[in-house]
């Protein structure tokens, strides 16, 4: 389910410094989200797979692209 910022929130006010957690789920499949995309006052969350799948289409309209998918590699090295 998409997380939608209040209508009074400007795109630059969406907290992109917030690290995604295991409770943040992909809007496409429900897997753990590693990518947050801000479009206007809305926010979409994606797993690494769906984030990469939709990146080309969304990059032209996104106001912010927050990608933490590198954490997947860090977890495998530990």
């Amino acid at each position: 389910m998409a997380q939608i910022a209040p209508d009074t929130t400007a795109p630059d006010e969406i907290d992109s410094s917030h690290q995604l957690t295991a409770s943040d789920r992909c809007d496409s499949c429900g897997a753990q989200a590693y990518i947050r995309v801000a479009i206007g006052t809305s926010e979409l969350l994606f797993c690494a797979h769906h984030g990469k799948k939709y990146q080309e289409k969304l990059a032209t309209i996104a106001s912010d692209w927050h990608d933490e998918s590198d954490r997947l590699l860090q977890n495998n090295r530990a």
Side-chain angles (χ1 to χ4, degrees):
M1 181 132 281
Q3 295 179 4
I4 301 174
D7 290 339
T8 58
T9 303
D12 58 347
E13 293 177 6
I14 295 175
D15 186 10
S16 62
S17 64
H18 170 73
Q19 186 173 10
L20 295 167
T21 66
S23 64
D24 294 311
R25 310 312 286 181
C26 175
D27 291 324
S28 290
C29 69
Q32 183 173 347
Y34 288 95
I35 298 172
R36 178 189 306 110
V37 183
I39 301 172
T41 58
S42 298
E43 186 175 76
L44 296 170
L45 300 177
F46 294 109
C47 64
H49 165 78
H50 285 111
K52 301 293 185 228
K53 180 178 179 180
Y54 300 124
Q55 184 173 12
E56 188 175 331
K57 292 179 182 178
L58 292 174
T60 59
I61 59 172
S63 58
D64 183 51
W65 189 277
H66 180 79
D67 187 343
E68 297 179 13
S69 59
D70 60 333
R71 289 177 33 213
L72 289 166
L73 296 175
Q74 292 172 354
N75 291 341
N76 287 336
R77 291 181 191 153

